[in-house]
Amino acid sequence: MKNLFKNIGPGPLIAAAFIGPGTVTVCTLAGVGFGYALLWAMVLSIIATIVLQEMSARLGIITQKGLSEIIRTEIKHPVFKFLAILLILSAIVIGNAAYEAGNITGGVLGLEAIVGNPSLQIGEFSINVLSIVIGLIAFVLLYLGNYKTLEKALIGLVTLMSMAFLVTAIITKPNIIEIIKGALIPRFSKNSLLTVIALIGTTVVPYNLFLHASLVKEKWHHKSDLQFARKDTFIAVILGGLVSMCIIISAASIQSTDIKSASDLALGLEPLFGSFAKYFLAIGLFASGITSAITAPLAAAFVTTGCLGWSSNMASKRFRAVWMIILVLGVLFSSLGIKSIDIIKFAQVANGILLPVIAGFLIWIMNKDSVLGSYKNSIKQNIFGFLILGISILLSVATLNKVFSLNLF
C-alpha cells in the first residue's frame, strides 16, 4: 500500500481537471435526457483520454520538457511558429480564464446547498462570499508552489468527490444490466449527437495534454519511471471516467425533464432519496469545482511559460503571475455574477479548434526520432492516435456548428 501511494503521480490531478462543473452538468443532461443510452460515449472518452495522456506523459518523462516547450522548439518556420503559439496562448489562457469562472461557480453551487448563499452588497454590486472563499483556497494551494502539496490536496479532494458521486449513484438503485448495455452497445438516441460530442469534449481536455507533460517531470526524472507514469495515468483516468458515469447514472433516475444543471440534479434527487442525496451531491460538486479551479490556472501557467520560453518553476514570479491573473479573473466573474457569454463563446470556439490541432501536434512529435528516439509511437499507438484525431475533428466541427448555428448536422 505504501509503494502504491509512493508511485501516485499527476494522474489524479488530470482526473481532477476533467471532472469539473462542466463535466458534471454535461453528464447530468446526458442522464436526464437519454438515461443509460450514452454511457458508451464515456467509455470511448476514457479510451481516448488514456491514449492521448499516455503520449503526453511519455513525452514529459523522456524529454523532461513540457509540450508547449517542444512545440516552440520543433516548429522551425517562424510564421507557423508564431501562429501556433498565438493559437495555443489565446485558447488556453483566455479560455481557461473563462472556464475558471465556471469552475468556481460550480464549487459555490455545492457549498450553497449546505450553507446557503451569503453575499456582500457594495453599492450596486452583490458579491458572492463563497466565490471569494473558494478563490482563496485555490490561491493558498497554488502559492505554496510545491508539487507534492498540490498532489496530496487534490488526491484528497478527488477521493472525496469520487465517493460522493459513487454513493449518490448507489442510492438511486440503478439497473445493472441496463448500465452494462449502455456502456458496451453504442446507441444514438434522437438528437443525441451534440450530447455525445459534449461528453467526449468535456473529458478529452486540450489543456490536460500540456498539464500532464509538465507535471510528470516534477514527479519522475528517469526513463525507467515510464512504467509508473503509465499505470498512474491508466488508473486515474479510468476512475475519473467512472465518476462521470456515476453522475449519468444518478441523473438517469430523475423523471423530471426540467433538470438543466447539477444543482437541479441535487434538488431532483431530494424528494426521491431524502436530503442525504442532496448533501452527497453538494460535496461532490464542491470538490469538482475546487479541483478544476486549481488545475485550470496551473495549466495556463505551464502553457504560457513554455510558449514564451520562461522558467516553468512553480515558485517563479512569472509562473505565479500567470495563474494569479487567471484565478483573479475567475473569482471576479463568478463573485460579481458577470455573464461572460462572449468570452465563453470564444473559449468554446478556440478549444474546439485547439483539440485536433494539439492532438495533431502531439502525434507528430510522438513520431519524431530526434525527440523520443526508441520511445516514439508504435504502429498500434498511431492507429489509436489517428482514430482519436478524427473524433476530435468531428468535435471541432460540431463546436463551430453549435456556436455559429451553421446547421451542419
Side-chain angles (χ1 to χ4, degrees), residues 71-381:
I71 290 173
R72 181 171 55 85
T73 55
E74 288 300 314
I75 299 177
K76 307 300 182 184
H77 195 286
V79 175
F80 288 146
K81 180 184 288 189
F82 173 77
L83 290 174
I85 290 174
L86 182 65
L87 176 61
I88 292 166
L89 282 176
S90 61
I92 297 295
V93 177
I94 299 175
N96 280 18
Y99 289 130
E100 182 69 356
N103 294 332
I104 292 171
T105 301
V108 167
L109 286 174
L111 283 180
E112 282 179 349
I114 300 172
V115 300
N117 184 15
S119 60
L120 288 174
Q121 195 71 33
I122 300 177
E124 296 180 0
F125 295 101
S126 179
I127 299 175
N128 191 313
V129 175
L130 297 180
S131 295
I132 298 172
V133 169
I134 289 175
L136 286 172
I137 294 170
F139 180 89
V140 169
L141 289 171
L142 284 166
Y143 192 81
L144 291 174
N146 184 294
Y147 169 74
K148 289 184 178 178
T149 305
L150 275 178
E151 181 184 68
K152 289 177 181 176
L154 288 177
I155 286 172
L157 285 166
V158 169
T159 303
L160 179 67
M161 173 177 64
S162 303
M163 292 303 296
F165 288 127
L166 178 62
V167 170
T168 304
I170 291 171
I171 288 173
T172 65
K173 298 178 182 177
N175 185 320
I176 303 299
I177 302 299
E178 288 300 314
I179 288 174
I180 294 171
K181 285 182 181 178
L184 299 180
I185 303 172
R187 287 178 288 175
F188 281 95
S189 304
K190 186 181 178 182
N191 302 321
S192 67
L193 179 60
L194 282 181
T195 307
V196 168
I197 295 171
L199 286 170
I200 297 169
T202 196
T203 308
V204 189
V205 183
Y207 78 70
N208 264 352
L209 300 175
F210 293 96
L211 187 62
H212 207 171
S214 296
L215 289 178
V216 287
K217 59 189 178 68
E218 299 281 338
K219 175 73 177 182
W220 294 298
H221 309 286
H222 306 289
K223 294 176 181 178
S224 58
D225 293 326
L226 192 55
Q227 59 176 319
F228 302 122
R230 282 175 169 154
K231 187 182 292 184
D232 176 62
T233 302
F234 189 78
I235 293 172
V237 172
I238 286 178
L239 289 177
L242 289 174
V243 170
S244 297
M245 292 174 80
C246 283
I247 300 167
I248 295 174
I249 292 165
S250 301
S253 68
I254 306 298
Q255 302 302 316
S256 172
T257 56
D258 293 329
I259 309 296
K260 294 186 175 67
S261 69
S263 56
D264 290 337
L265 175 58
L267 295 172
L269 285 171
E270 189 170 3
L272 292 173
F273 308 108
S275 60
F276 287 112
K278 181 184 75 170
Y279 289 120
F280 278 122
L281 194 68
I283 291 167
L285 195 58
F286 164 71
S288 71
I290 200 166
T291 50
S292 295
I294 292 168
T295 53
L298 191 63
F302 276 123
V303 169
T304 304
T305 53
C307 283
L308 300 179
W310 298 345
S311 169
S312 60
N313 187 320
M314 292 173 70
S316 71
K317 289 182 179 179
R318 285 174 170 174
F319 188 93
R320 283 177 169 169
V322 176
W323 66 249
M324 281 181 190
I325 290 169
I326 301 298
L327 184 58
V328 167
L329 287 174
V331 171
L332 188 66
F333 291 151
S334 177
S335 62
L336 295 179
I338 296 173
K339 294 181 179 180
S340 50
I341 294 172
D342 291 335
I343 298 175
I344 291 172
K345 184 181 285 189
F346 173 81
Q348 282 182 317
V349 174
N351 275 323
I353 296 169
L354 188 69
L355 180 56
V357 172
I358 296 305
F361 272 137
L362 185 61
I363 293 168
W364 170 61
I365 289 168
M366 296 308 293
N367 282 281
K368 289 180 75 72
D369 283 309
S370 59
V371 176
L372 290 154
S374 61
Y375 290 92
K376 69 177 184 178
N377 271 2
S378 65
I379 293 174
K380 182 180 176 182
Q381 287 166 327

